[in-house]
Amino acid sequence: MSTISVSASFLLFTLIFNSCLLHHHHHVVAADDDLRSPPPQPYLSQRIELAFHVIDKFKTTIEHDPLKILDTWKGKNVCKYRGFVCEKHPTYKVLAVAGADFNGYGFSGPKFKLYDFLEQLEDLAIFHANSNNFTLTIPNTAKVRYLYEIDVSNNKLSGQFPMEVLNVKNLSFLDLRFNSFSGAVPPGLFNLKLDALFINNNKFSQELPQNLGSTTALYITFANNRFTGPIPRSIGKAKYLLEVLFLNNRFSGCLPYEIGFLRNATVFDASSNLLTGPIPQSFGCLASMRLLNLAGNHFYGSIPEMVCKLPKLANLSLSDNYFTEVGPECRKLIAKKRVDVKMNCILDLPYQRSPEECRKFFSKPRNCPDHKSMTYVPCKNNGYLSNATETSDHQESMVAAPSPRTYDALKPHKL
């Protein structure tokens, strides 16, 4: 065999061998690929991907999860996580996390807070997180442009009023009750276009802002705080107001006659305060009123007959005051147990204060600064009553006491 022939044969063998090795390697790689898990699924949208990273970080702060909610927080499709709702984004037209509902989950942990979570979920429209253990306060949510409902009630939030909520321009529902917020309530709160405002059962103090009447809210409860001073006269301008609870604070002074302009209001409760003076005759203009509670104050004088003739009145509570006179219309409702006047100074009725207690109360001069306004009646043609017992045509309607939305707010959520 020639030298050239041997060299050529060796070259051919080398090429064939290398080809076989390459072919074998290809099959080994392919076999390995078959044993691997399938490639990860892509996010449903870029907005979902952004939310995933925020939620994934938030998840690490939850050390106590009594309902095992986190067991569902697996994978990259956060739309399947319990507590989250996805909808098409109004601007980007892709799927986004539009709602977070942690009500009653009982989440907690040493690092568990709203910061670096709520304000990072920029696509949220609804955030409901009552009955958890959030601490500190509410972060700046100005970037969460579509947010219109915030419920952080029954948590462990504290500090001054969370001014950050004033940046939520589309806010219609705010529930801060059963926390430990303190200090004053800002006037800007009543410039928000709210439908419902629940701030009861905190430690708010000082006087209510004078622009209270600017509110658009239907339901408001200030109950079980430490508010002081008079009820602002501007309340008469809150034309949408249906229910308002002032009970169990430290409000003082006389009731403003402007309350009589609340023609749509069905519930007014100012019980357990330090309010005084007579009931304004303007209360006879509260045509829609069903539940009126002024018990546990320092009211005195005669009970307006017009109030007892309100067509929808189901319950009028005036107990634990210092009223001295009651007319025939009110006596009819007392007999029907729709008006409660126990513990007053009405001499001919049972269950009244002792004469000595009444004498002691009236031994000190008492008057309202704008006494004439107490007889002003905005729904009367001439605006004033010539006689404190003047009555109008009235057809009594027997109505059952409703279940007001605001009274439900006085009950804490159960964990």
Side-chain angles (χ1 to χ4, degrees), residues 83-98:
F84 290 97
V85 176
C86 297
E87 298 288 348
K88 182 179 286 189
H89 195 285
T91 300
Y92 300 111
K93 307 302 181 183
V94 296
L95 210 58
V97 175

Side-chain angles (χ1 to χ4, degrees), residues 270-340:
S271 62
S272 300
N273 280 285
L274 302 173
L275 295 164
T276 189
I279 298 177
Q281 294 287 338
S282 64
F283 274 47
C285 299
L286 299 173
S288 302
M289 187 60 60
R290 295 190 175 194
L291 298 179
L292 178 57
N293 191 348
L294 302 177
N297 282 284
H298 297 157
F299 293 117
Y300 57 85
S302 62
I303 301 170
E305 287 281 83
M306 282 185 69
V307 174
C308 291
K309 297 184 75 173
L310 290 172
K312 297 182 180 180
L313 188 66
N315 186 278
L316 171 61
S317 184
L318 303 174
S319 62
D320 196 19
N321 280 288
Y322 294 88
F323 291 109
T324 54
E325 298 179 31
V326 56
E329 292 297 328
C330 292
R331 287 176 182 267
K332 290 178 184 177
L333 298 187
I334 292 171
K336 296 176 180 177
K337 298 184 177 180
R338 289 168 58 186
V339 173
D340 183 0

Side-chain angles (χ1 to χ4, degrees), residues 382-401:
N382 61 5
Y384 288 91
L385 288 181
S386 57
N387 187 316
T389 60
E390 179 181 341
T391 59
S392 58
D393 291 337
H394 164 67
Q395 185 174 4
E396 183 178 356
S397 60
M398 295 298 294
V399 290

Side-chain angles (χ1 to χ4, degrees), residues 100-118:
D101 185 354
F102 304 154
N103 284 351
Y105 283 2
F107 287 154
S108 66
K111 299 180 181 180
F112 184 65
K113 60 186 186 304
L114 289 171
Y115 282 90
D116 297 324
F117 175 61
L118 175 56

Side-chain angles (χ1 to χ4, degrees), residues 198-388:
F198 300 137
I199 60 173
N200 56 285
N201 294 83
N202 279 282
K203 299 176 182 178
F204 291 120
S205 58
Q206 302 183 24
E207 297 186 8
L208 284 178
Q210 292 302 309
N211 70 328
L212 168 63
S214 298
T215 186
T216 60
L218 305 173
Y219 306 95
I220 295 180
T221 174
F222 304 105
N224 303 320
N225 279 286
R226 302 170 184 175
F227 289 115
T228 60
I231 294 173
R233 301 182 68 164
S234 68
I235 188 174
K237 298 179 180 179
K239 58 183 178 179
Y240 302 104
L241 199 57
L242 298 180
E243 301 178 7
V244 57
L245 303 187
F246 292 108
L247 67 105
N248 198 25
N249 280 280
R250 299 169 185 172
F251 290 112
S252 59
C254 299
L255 292 173
Y257 82 88
E258 288 87 351
I259 293 173
F261 288 109
L262 301 178
R263 299 298 303 274
N264 297 317
T266 61
V267 175
F268 185 90
D269 191 333
S271 62
S272 300
N273 280 285
L274 302 173
L275 295 164
T276 189
I279 298 177
Q281 294 287 338
S282 64
F283 274 47
C285 299
L286 299 173
S288 302
M289 187 60 60
R290 295 190 175 194
L291 298 179
L292 178 57
N293 191 348
L294 302 177
N297 282 284
H298 297 157
F299 293 117
Y300 57 85
S302 62
I303 301 170
E305 287 281 83
M306 282 185 69
V307 174
C308 291
K309 297 184 75 173
L310 290 172
K312 297 182 180 180
L313 188 66
N315 186 278
L316 171 61
S317 184
L318 303 174
S319 62
D320 196 19
N321 280 288
Y322 294 88
F323 291 109
T324 54
E325 298 179 31
V326 56
E329 292 297 328
C330 292
R331 287 176 182 267
K332 290 178 184 177
L333 298 187
I334 292 171
K336 296 176 180 177
K337 298 184 177 180
R338 289 168 58 186
V339 173
D340 183 0
V341 293
K342 290 191 292 290
M343 295 304 293
N344 277 279
C345 297
I346 306 170
L347 297 179
D348 64 327
L349 291 180
Y351 308 110
Q352 299 296 297
R353 295 181 183 276
S354 68
E356 177 59 29
E357 196 175 359
C358 293
R359 278 194 296 270
K360 183 178 180 181
F361 177 81
F362 287 108
S363 66
K364 299 177 182 178
R366 300 182 183 280
N367 202 359
C368 292
D370 188 9
H371 184 72
K372 188 177 181 181
S373 71
M374 294 292 103
T375 60
Y376 180 67
V377 184
C379 56
K380 286 287 183 180
N381 290 333
N382 61 5
Y384 288 91
L385 288 181
S386 57
N387 187 316

